[in-house]
Amino acid sequence: MSFLPIKGSESMFYIMKNDVYFPVGCLTSSPIADDVEMLPTTTRQNEGWKTSFPTNQGYSIELSGLMVMDDDDSGNEVLSYRELRRFKRDKVLIDWERRTLNGYYIDRGKAWITTISDSDEADGFITFNASLVGQGAPIEDNARIYVLGNVPKTEIYTHPDEITVIKTE
């Protein structure tokens, strides 16, 4: 069995707008961090050592990317800095989704954009950073297709031109 690391370019981050998931354009990273609050505990057996118990869980997402035109008349079907900033200013609870390996792994949930900032160096591209705080539990999912049959090896994949191929040997 071979173990192949997954490249960051195999992960796409989407935000729902008008009931459709749009990619956040030109992202350079979208890490998700889970955390849990710990309640200090004590027992007679801990002999002076700290102990604790996990209680409330949460998660946060940090987006970093390059700004692109994202208004309706730009022709780009992506979200970027200006649209994300509007969501933050309007206090919109967003639906988000991160697809890795074209949906082999999917994480999704709801979040608030708590901070957003840009950087506009004179000789460089405009970049932005946004922080999101999760609302409720995130959902793990996948878009895999399982095939039942007596064929020993079946592969299903989608070409870049959106054609699904089923290959059997």
Side-chain angles (χ1 to χ4, degrees), residues 92-165:
V92 174
L93 179 62
I94 62 166
D95 289 279
W96 63 270
E97 180 175 275
R98 186 170 71 174
R99 291 177 169 254
T100 304
L101 297 172
N102 291 323
Y104 194 85
Y105 302 114
I106 298 174
D107 294 297
R108 73 169 56 97
K110 295 183 178 296
W112 300 100
I113 300 174
T114 57
T115 60
I116 188 162
S117 62
D118 68 23
S119 176
D120 59 351
E121 296 178 24
D123 290 336
F125 293 109
I126 299 175
T127 61
F128 72 90
N129 294 297
S131 297
L132 289 68
V133 173
Q135 180 78 10
I139 298 167
E140 293 182 12
D141 199 0
N142 68 71
R144 296 176 225 163
I145 299 172
Y146 297 96
V147 178
L148 300 176
N150 58 1
V151 179
K153 187 172 182 185
T154 303
E155 296 178 13
I156 298 178
Y157 56 93
T158 304
H159 280 285
D161 56 3
E162 301 296 324
I163 298 172
T164 299
V165 176

Side-chain angles (χ1 to χ4, degrees), residues 8-14 23-24 27 30 97-101:
S9 60
E10 297 289 339
S11 180
M12 290 287 296
F13 194 86
Y14 299 85
V24 178
L27 279 184
S30 61
E97 180 175 275
R98 186 170 71 174
R99 291 177 169 254
T100 304
L101 297 172

